[in-house]
Amino acid sequence: MKTGIVVFPGTNRERDMAQAFRVVSGKTPQMLWHQQDNVDGLDLIVLPGGFSFGDYLRSGAMAAHSPIMKAVRQFAEKGGYILGVCNGFQILTESQLLPGALLRNAGQRFLSQDCHLKVEGRDSIFTSGWKHGDVFRAPMAHGDGNYTAAPDVLDRLEGEGRVAFRYCTAEGHVKDSDEHVNMNGSARSIAGVLSENRRVCGLMPHPENLTEEILGGTDGLPLFTGIMEALG
Amino acid sequence: MTAAPVDIELARSFGLKDDEYETVLNIMGRTPSLTELGIFSVMWSEHCSYKSSRLHLKTLPTKAPWVIHGPGENAGVIDIGEGLAAVFKMESHNHPSFIEPYQGAATGVGGILRDVFTMGARPIANLNALRFGDPSHKDTKRVVDGVVRGIGGYGNCMGVPTVGGEVNFHSSYNCNPLVNAMTVGLARQDRIFLSAAAGVGNPVVYVGSKTGRDGIHGATMSSAEFDSESSSKRPTVQVGDPFTEKLLLEACLELMATDAVISIQDMGAAGLTSSAVEMASKGGVGIDLDLDHVPQREANMQAYEMMLSESQERMLMVLRPDRTEAARKIFEKWELDFAIVGKLTDSGRITVRHNGKVEADIPLGPLADEAPIYDRPTMKYERQPALVPPADPCGVEKGLLRLLSSANGASRAWIWNQYDSGVGGQTVQRPGGADAAIVRVEGTDRGLAMTTDCTPRYGQADPYIGGAQAVLEVWRNLTATGAKPLAMTDNLNFASPENPRIMTQFVEAVKGIGDAGRALDFPVVSGNVSLYNETRGDDGSVTAIQPAPVIGGVGVLEDVQKAVGLAMPQDGELLLVGETKGELGQSMWLKEILGREEGAPPAVDFAAERQNGDFVREQIQKGAVEACHDVADGGLIVALAEMAMAGNVGCSLEKGPDALPEHVFWFAEDQARYVLATKQADAVVKAAQAAGVPVRRLGRAGGNALKLGDMAVPVQHLRKQHASFFPRFMGKQEDDAPVVHLDELP
């Protein structure tokens, strides 16, 4: 499996992401500078977290217009696998590779704490490392993580099993209106979604930061083992 | 701007004393130009020249076999093994943080980050030490909100985890909060970059953001007391751009991986002036600057403005001439300005040209050598007599709950939940998990432990103890994780040194820091002094801050797997290491329960500190310890409650010794103490006795309540109380955690 991690000016979790892949595969993904317009030969493209272009316009909005995103769109059209985490998720929605948008957190403050996620997505390499309904812990670190979309879009995402992850309690209860559970106020507690072909996935929390016991746990590992098993 | 005549009046308004201006006239042999006067005034400001503190700072211990660079560089550098170095420093941004809290705090973080990556280190952690006014003061909420957002806003965007810090509230900081920011970076020992310029003819290169009019005379502002006019100084607060700094960081590190850089210095306080002067002075060369080439954000800037601007995210470098174009390409890739603004000369002078005209021409030798230095008068400090322990009005349970829900005892989670503490992927202990934050050293099995601390109320009562105790607590916090403490950075926040009482506080605190550092082989490798932290009211009265000699410390764990946190384990015995004589003077209990700030602070005993600490570290390294927490604010019962809350596990405690009243034993703040949770209690007790270390069995971990005699407080209740203060204070009500009011006490 060949993985490329896109680095925009202001990206800052590319090393965390590379480390997580290294833990699982022993191989270090290659870094892709945002100015390049060629992503040939890759099996998976990852858009990691950070503050691309400072998030000064709107999170992910500038990055969506970087030269590399044209190549990423073509890669997606050809059925390529793409994972976007945090700022990467924001870039995917800004690029319309995923539906919806990420607004300022409901509490208007940056959120850096652990949340629990329920695995709901089906038939996707991004959720195949877990069983349907599993609950895992992941750190959040974002100011704009409040997922929103039109009601019919949300209905469709749910109907097609394209809600990949939902915020929940440690016991797996989803509570949309509880600010201690659905901390950023996301519509229907959605933390991550899948594209129609289930090959593009975006999520706000950071499974890549929980992949070793010494770093606080391995709750995030199944994301990477699932991808590895599928793509070799 | 209109050119004001340069005279003694203008010099005074620039903050120069009359005799200092006299020296300027002697050095120059003529009336200086406006730009020259500006350069002298900022270089000789307290902030840049350390004129009141230098004599005393020289007495601090700064050497150890593992110290690579001590004070004098942008940051301290220590050997952490495997050819790697930790590079760290702490710096204050106090005055700007009251005027404009968000930008003041943000640029404080930005400045200290630059100090560290200027030396070739990748920043791997940020910490801070914050002091705010009384929660009931009208400005406190505004300042807390802005400062926390500013620290988070800058650090989060930079991708440097904010892993630790400490916060206190006291009315002496009502109009003069303290914002001290610390950065720890990681570098290869053979790739450390210094600021001394070398090579006559070599190009002087400016990189980073453009220069604007922001922050002009910031260094002078931070060298003067506050008054009601201060808020009109908002334009002297710089504006931060963490995105540009992130680009600057990556570009600098990319350039530093080549052999292009001869020397490099960030533009911090006093901007282009101090960076150019410092690089040239340290290298014993002259420097010619042509301001026409300085990237400018605004039109028609004067030489004076460009030399004094404190625009952020800028660096000055001396490059190998044959590498200049390669360097330019790197900065173009990162879309940053890159401009050759001058060259090194053999003139021994700084010469500044603008529009073809010489705007400044100053001999560097006298600018540095004849800088004022003051041995300011001190006095005998009236210390508080020892406290006669007062009776307990409310019992241990109420007292504990009151402390946990007080501003100074409450959980800081509301703050640290706004800081990204995990970015970088190496954070082993996040805030609240251990006495010190722990970050793994990427690519190794090692870990760095780091923390900040200070107890100003102790220092107010006895400045020597205030200085020494801050060092001891930092050393203890590092030790409690199992780390070997290596070195410290100090950030000395005091009021006006021109007041003999304040100067005495400063001198005594430095003595305390020095003695503690020597006793523990814990040298000072970098630091910062912030004076004039006082406010003049409209009626002329002056409020001085409680002295805050803040210490930041770094320790190393050869095997990071051996580190322990403070969370109460499900099972195990609890031991107290260290002696309890019953020190309630200046304690948190005394202040919160009886509203008294009285008595002598707890005594410091360097030998006991070292003996107990070395013992605890050894037991942790042996694997005999499940969890460890030092005993500090609020005493033993608060330490145990903190462990219980962190682990969500209770404990059953035995009664204290008969010799002490119950409340004295549980709330006293005697130093050199640790709580250990262990499954090998017999062996640990035996080892302690053999080593002559005082040890006492406290009880057992387990269950879901903190139990002591008739008292049984559910851990959930403790947690709720502990978490209640900040949301309530900052305007969001937690559902069902009522305040424990003093008037409810019997």
Side-chain angles (χ1 to χ4, degrees):
Chain A
M1 174 179 102
K2 281 183 79 175
T3 305
I5 299 178
V6 182
V7 180
F8 300 94
T11 294
N12 65 26
R13 259 188 166 87
E14 73 278 18
R15 296 148 65 89
D16 310 38
M17 191 59 80
Q19 176 171 275
F21 277 97
R22 202 156 50 228
V23 165
V24 172
S25 68
K27 283 190 289 194
T28 301
Q30 70 183 95
M31 297 292 171
L32 312 171
W33 185 236
H34 73 118
Q35 292 285 9
Q36 76 185 64
D37 50 13
N38 185 336
V39 295
D40 292 349
L42 293 171
D43 301 303
L44 171 70
I45 293 177
V46 183
L47 308 181
F51 290 68
S52 54
F53 297 93
D55 282 349
Y56 285 157
L57 176 57
R58 198 171 58 236
S59 296
M62 297 276 285
H65 296 282
S66 272
I68 199 167
M69 286 311 293
K70 209 172 149 191
V72 171
R73 269 192 212 94
Q74 287 164 357
F75 180 79
E77 281 161 19
K78 283 188 257 171
Y81 289 96
I82 303 172
L83 171 67
V85 174
C86 199
N87 196 223
F89 185 16
Q90 294 160 344
I91 295 167
L92 288 173
T93 58
E94 286 286 343
S95 306
Q96 304 194 335
L97 286 167
L98 288 174
L102 293 142
L103 308 178
R104 186 59 39 97
N105 293 342
Q108 304 296 312
R109 288 185 186 276
F110 193 91
L111 277 170
S112 170
Q113 57 191 111
D114 284 356
C115 64
H116 286 88
L117 298 174
K118 190 171 196 172
V119 181
E120 294 202 357
R122 292 179 188 276
D123 309 322
S124 159
I125 65 165
F126 301 108
T127 53
S128 61
W130 289 280
K131 290 197 302 292
H132 187 82
D134 274 359
V135 173
F136 69 101
R137 187 166 57 92
M140 290 185 297
H142 58 248
D144 299 335
N146 182 353
Y147 185 75
T148 189
D152 60 313
V153 175
L154 296 172
D155 289 345
R156 213 179 129 199
L157 285 173
E158 290 183 331
E160 294 174 1
R162 286 166 55 199
V163 173
F165 308 103
R166 256 190 249 262
Y167 299 106
C168 65
T169 65
E171 296 75 33
H173 303 300
V174 175
K175 296 179 170 182
D176 291 350
S177 53
D178 186 336
E179 62 181 18
H180 298 292
V181 181
N182 182 21
M183 288 183 254
N184 54 29
S186 287
R188 304 187 192 176
S189 296
I190 291 173
V193 297
L194 296 166
S195 62
E196 241 176 287
N197 68 1
R198 290 166 159 70
R199 292 187 170 202
V200 181
C201 175
L203 75 159
M204 285 313 295
H206 294 281
E208 74 273 21
N209 282 129
L210 274 188
T211 52
E212 293 177 68
E213 280 302 340
I214 187 71
L215 302 177
T218 55
D219 276 55
L221 264 187
L223 173 65
F224 300 94
T225 51
I227 293 170
M228 273 295 298
E229 274 161 29
L231 301 182
Chain B
M1 61 184 274
T2 52
V6 173
D7 57 16
I8 197 155
E9 283 301 321
L10 188 66
R12 281 179 195 149
S13 76
F14 278 17
L16 284 172
K17 305 282 182 216
D18 290 1
D19 52 340
E20 292 172 355
Y21 182 60
E22 204 55 44
T23 312
V24 171
L25 291 177
N26 286 336
I27 290 173
M28 297 303 292
R30 58 175 166 79
T31 303
S33 69
L34 176 67
T35 305
E36 288 166 342
L37 183 70
I39 292 173
F40 274 103
S41 70
V42 293
M43 290 310 296
W44 289 2
S45 68
E46 190 67 60
H47 191 85
C48 292
S49 73
Y50 294 87
K51 56 192 171 191
S52 301
S53 58
R54 219 171 343 147
L55 278 177
H56 305 283
L57 298 177
K58 279 200 295 206
T59 66
L60 290 170
T62 59
K63 292 191 168 62
W66 52 87
V67 174
I68 297 171
H69 291 291
E73 291 300 335
N74 281 302
V77 183
I78 56 170
D79 181 350
I80 57 165
E82 301 190 35
L84 298 170
V87 178
F88 66 100
K89 189 185 176 186
M90 184 158 32
E91 201 161 79
S92 62
H93 228 207
N94 302 337
H95 292 78
S97 297
F98 181 72
I99 299 175
E100 176 55 273
Y102 184 96
Q103 293 298 344
T107 54
V109 174
I112 194 64
L113 281 162
R114 274 195 306 287
D115 275 336
V116 166
F117 72 78
T118 300
M119 300 201 69
R122 178 174 283 281
I124 59 166
N126 281 335
L127 299 96
N128 52 68
L130 311 176
R131 294 291 178 280
F132 298 118
D134 191 280
S136 66
H137 187 267
K138 65 178 173 56
D139 281 305
T140 302
K141 195 168 149 179
R142 168 185 73 89
V143 175
V144 171
D145 183 66
V147 166
V148 170
R149 284 181 194 272
I151 289 173
Y154 211 101
N156 297 348
C157 181
M158 283 294 290
V160 177
T162 300
V163 296
E166 49 129 24
V167 181
N168 274 123
F169 296 85
H170 189 272
S171 57
S172 70
Y173 306 108
N174 280 354
C175 296
N176 195 131
L178 303 184
V179 175
N180 293 182
M182 172 172 167
T183 294
V184 181
L186 186 64
R188 273 170 49 181
Q189 288 174 19
D190 59 358
R191 296 209 71 82
I192 303 286
F193 291 82
L194 305 179
S195 57
V200 170
N202 279 343
V204 175
V205 174
Y206 170 121
V207 298
S209 284
K210 294 187 193 327
T211 295
R213 290 194 168 93
D214 44 338
I216 292 174
H217 268 301
T220 318
M221 177 181 85
S222 60
S223 305
E225 68 188 15
F226 254 30
D227 54 32
S228 52
E229 300 293 299
S230 293
S231 56
S232 71
K233 290 182 177 158
R234 196 161 282 142
T236 58
V237 178
Q238 313 85 328
V239 177
D241 175 2
F243 171 59
T244 298
E245 178 127 316
K246 169 70 171 159
L247 304 184
L248 188 60
L249 162 68
E250 298 301 337
C252 284
L253 292 182
E254 193 172 325
L255 179 63
M256 286 162 160
T258 72
D259 60 355
V261 180
I262 294 171
S263 67
I264 176 165
Q265 171 75 40
D266 78 300
M267 292 191 224
L272 193 49
T273 292
S274 92
S275 56
V277 167
E278 220 154 281
M279 289 174 86
S281 301
K282 278 190 185 157
V285 293
I287 190 165
D288 270 13
L289 295 177
D290 188 341
L291 300 183
D292 295 356
H293 300 299
V294 169
Q296 293 160 48
R297 200 193 303 145
E298 296 171 64
N300 303 320
M301 288 184 71
Q302 309 287 313
Y304 160 82
E305 294 172 310
M306 276 188 262
M307 290 305 289
L308 267 65
S309 162
E310 292 191 1
S311 291
Q312 300 289 292
E313 293 95 21
R314 303 178 300 160
M315 294 270 192
L316 203 61
M317 308 185 293
V318 175
L319 297 182
R320 279 178 53 169
D322 56 335
R323 298 289 190 272
T324 309
E325 282 317 301
R328 184 192 295 276
K329 286 206 174 68
I330 291 175
F331 283 85
E332 279 171 359
K333 171 188 160 190
W334 291 97
E335 298 175 34
L336 292 166
D337 275 303
F338 177 103
I340 299 174
V341 296
K343 62 176 192 301
L344 300 182
T345 67
D346 57 4
S347 67
R349 305 173 76 86
I350 177 167
T351 309
V352 179
R353 288 183 177 77
H354 187 218
N355 294 330
K357 191 169 156 245
V358 173
E359 292 284 352
D361 184 15
I362 302 173
L364 286 163
L367 179 60
D369 301 340
E370 291 178 40
I373 184 157
Y374 296 123
D375 187 2
R376 298 200 184 273
T378 56
M379 59 185 273
K380 190 172 155 41
Y381 202 85
E382 70 291 4
R383 288 182 170 69
Q384 301 240 9
L387 181 83
V388 178
D392 181 2
C394 63
V396 174
E397 178 174 348
K398 271 238 163 100
L400 171 64
L401 291 173
R402 169 74 193 172
L403 260 52
L404 294 182
S405 57
S406 71
N408 285 325
S411 165
R412 271 74 181 113
W414 183 88
I415 294 179
W416 72 58
N417 283 346
Q418 298 180 55
Y419 301 154
D420 189 342
S421 54
V423 63
Q426 306 299 337
T427 306
V428 173
Q429 284 291 358
R430 290 188 256 172
D435 274 5
I438 298 173
V439 177
R440 183 171 66 181
V441 177
E442 194 174 353
T444 74
D445 296 326
R446 284 170 188 260
L448 291 182
M450 46 194 98
T451 187
T452 58
D453 228 307
C454 180
T455 314
R457 61 181 191 273
Y458 293 173
Q460 180 73 28
D462 185 329
Y464 176 86
I465 288 184
Q469 190 273 343
V471 176
L472 300 179
E473 185 159 353
V474 162
W475 189 85
R476 212 182 299 140
N477 286 337
L478 299 173
T479 294
T481 67
K484 176 179 161 42
L486 291 179
M488 61 175 146
T489 179
D490 59 5
N491 201 334
L492 308 174
N493 308 274
F494 291 80
S496 169
E498 296 169 43
N499 173 341
R501 184 156 189 275
I502 303 298
M503 195 61 206
T504 310
Q505 289 179 347
F506 181 83
V507 173
E508 292 278 312
V510 169
K511 247 186 230 165
I513 292 169
D515 285 352
R518 271 181 291 273
L520 300 172
D521 289 323
F522 194 46
V524 179
V525 295
S526 57
N528 173 243
V529 177
S530 173
L531 301 174
Y532 298 96
N533 288 291
E534 59 186 31
T535 319
R536 183 175 294 276
D538 290 333
D539 61 353
S541 66
V542 171
T543 307
I545 60 157
Q546 284 197 342
V550 176
I551 302 294
V554 174
V556 70
L557 288 139
E558 281 179 24
D559 179 358
V560 70
Q561 303 276 354
K562 288 187 174 166
V564 299
L566 61 81
M568 185 81 74
Q570 292 289 346
D571 187 24
E573 207 166 322
L574 297 168
L575 303 178
L576 172 65
V577 169
E579 198 183 356
T580 309
K581 288 180 180 157
E583 303 255 23
L584 269 187
Q586 298 297 338
S587 66
M588 195 182 219
W589 182 87
L590 190 68
K591 165 137 200 272
E592 294 299 332
I593 305 300
L594 298 177
R596 292 163 58 185
E597 298 178 59
E598 288 170 30
V604 292
D605 178 343
F606 302 138
E609 201 69 62
R610 182 160 191 153
Q611 187 185 30
N612 298 356
D614 288 349
F615 172 77
V616 167
R617 192 178 319 106
E618 189 189 309
Q619 295 303 314
I620 294 171
Q621 286 293 334
K622 262 191 187 162
V625 178
E626 306 293 312
C628 180
H629 189 19
D630 89 310
V631 182
D633 283 347
L636 188 51
I637 195 71
V638 167
L640 286 157
E642 285 169 347
M643 294 176 77
M645 291 185 288
N648 212 5
V649 173
C651 59
S652 300
L653 304 172
E654 284 157 29
K655 207 174 136 309
D658 294 335
L660 289 175
E662 197 83 341
H663 69 293
V664 176
F665 178 70
W666 293 109
F667 292 107
E669 296 182 4
D670 295 61
Q671 299 294 295
R673 296 187 301 163
Y674 303 79
V675 176
L676 309 185
T678 173
K679 288 178 177 153
Q680 305 170 34
D682 292 344
V684 175
V685 167
K686 213 170 134 193
Q689 284 162 349
V693 169
V695 64
R696 179 184 173 86
R697 291 178 192 257
L698 291 171
R700 286 202 77 83
N704 52 19
L706 190 147
K707 295 182 186 163
L708 168 62
D710 298 338
M711 156 182 155
V713 193
V715 177
Q716 279 311 324
H717 186 57
L718 292 174
R719 287 170 67 128
K720 220 166 234 176
Q721 287 300 332
H722 201 219
S724 65
F725 169 76
F726 269 96
R728 191 172 60 237
F729 171 50
M730 294 307 292
K732 219 158 124 281
Q733 191 71 41
E734 279 296 281
D735 357 301
D736 48 356
V739 198
V740 178
H741 286 291
L742 272 180
D743 50 21
E744 289 170 16
L745 303 175

